[in-house]
């Protein structure tokens, strides 16, 4: 015997969710003949598939050499929760510009 349980797909980036499955006897005439003393409950888990993607707003940034702080925008793509805080870290690796001489991160 199998039972189909429809799972609703949403666009919300959230933690995995759980629910409890229970077996119950609904026909009182059958109840005396059925033993539900073992494994009459089980846990169900819905694995969230709404992947949160973040990235730089632009593929390339060009800055004048003028001793000013420059903004680089990181955007969130996917999911519908906007009132949420995400902690990210930005690092860099040197090319022809050298950290500490031409730019400073961290």
């Amino acid at each position: 015997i199998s039972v189909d349980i429809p799972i609703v797909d949403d666009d919300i980036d959230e933690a995995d969710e759980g629910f409890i499955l229970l077996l119950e006897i609904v026909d009182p005439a059958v109840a005396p003949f059925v033993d539900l003393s073992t494994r009459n409950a089980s846990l169900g888990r819905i694995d969230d598939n709404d992947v949160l993607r973040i990235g730089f707003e632009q593929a390339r940034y060009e800055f004048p050499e003028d001793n000013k702080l420059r903004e680089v925008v990181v955007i969130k793509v996917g999911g519908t929760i906007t009132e949420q805080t995400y902690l990210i870290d930005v690092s860099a690796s040197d090319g022809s510009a050298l950290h500490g001489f031409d730019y400073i991160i961290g």
Side-chain angles (χ1 to χ4, degrees), residues 7-96:
I7 304 298
V8 178
D9 189 12
D10 59 26
D11 290 329
I12 301 171
D13 49 318
E14 58 196 346
D16 294 342
E17 298 170 299
F19 56 96
I20 300 172
L21 299 165
L22 298 170
L23 289 177
E24 297 180 57
I25 303 300
V26 293
D27 184 351
V30 178
F33 307 105
V34 178
D35 179 12
L36 287 180
S37 62
T38 60
R39 213 181 296 184
N40 63 341
S42 184
L43 298 176
R45 186 176 89 179
I46 301 171
D47 297 326
D48 186 48
N49 64 350
D50 303 304
V51 177
L52 172 67
R53 293 181 194 94
I54 61 169
F56 291 107
E57 185 176 50
Q58 296 175 207
R60 179 185 175 118
Y61 290 89
E62 294 189 24
F63 306 109
E65 191 177 52
D66 59 3
N67 286 330
K68 291 186 179 177
L69 191 62
R70 295 297 174 176
E71 181 179 84
V72 175
V73 178
V74 177
I75 59 172
K76 174 181 152 310
V77 180
T80 57
I81 298 176
T82 56
E83 300 293 323
Q84 192 166 347
T85 301
Y86 302 96
L87 180 62
I88 62 169
D89 188 25
V90 177
S91 63
S93 59
D94 289 348
S96 58

